[in-house]
Amino acid sequence: MFTARRVREYLDERPFRPIRIYLSDDSFHDVPHVEFAWLIGGRLFVAEIVKDRGPDDPRVKEVAILHITRIEPLPKRKASGRARTKK
């Protein structure tokens, strides 16, 4: 079971490593940067960038810490473009 203290440990880690937070309903929320998450009491607020709205107008989701089942490092994104080959 996750506690606010345990979630805070992930958010306070330096350097911060992007994380994915999984919930009891099998959904998840990505935290690509520490500024995308706010821990207040037993709740975690996570900002999500919505493509149509842009980075200056994020959507914020409220998550009860009670429903967090696991936290894992966020999978690294693949580089865009063609793969390079050694010659």
Side-chain angles (χ1 to χ4, degrees):
M1 182 169 139
F2 276 85
T3 62
R5 177 178 287 166
R6 199 158 160 213
V7 173
R8 172 66 58 207
E9 288 172 3
Y10 281 94
L11 297 176
D12 286 347
E13 192 172 309
R14 294 295 178 265
F16 177 78
R17 291 185 296 165
I19 55 176
R20 178 168 283 167
I21 299 170
Y22 292 89
L23 305 178
S24 57
D25 66 355
D26 291 329
S27 66
F28 62 86
H29 297 285
D30 292 342
V31 181
H33 190 276
V34 69
E35 292 178 355
F36 280 68
W38 306 273
L39 183 62
I40 301 172
R43 303 239 177 248
L44 180 67
F45 296 85
V46 180
E48 296 179 339
I49 300 301
V50 180
K51 288 183 182 183
D52 296 341
R53 296 171 78 171
D56 295 331
D57 189 16
R59 178 183 300 150
V60 177
K61 297 287 188 171
E62 181 178 352
V63 175
I65 292 174
L66 175 67
H67 290 286
I68 296 174
T69 58
R70 71 184 192 271
I71 298 177
E72 297 179 352
L74 192 62
K76 295 186 189 269
R77 295 182 182 193
K78 293 183 179 180
S80 61
R82 293 183 348 193
R84 294 184 184 181
T85 56
K86 247 183 177 176
K87 292 186 178 186

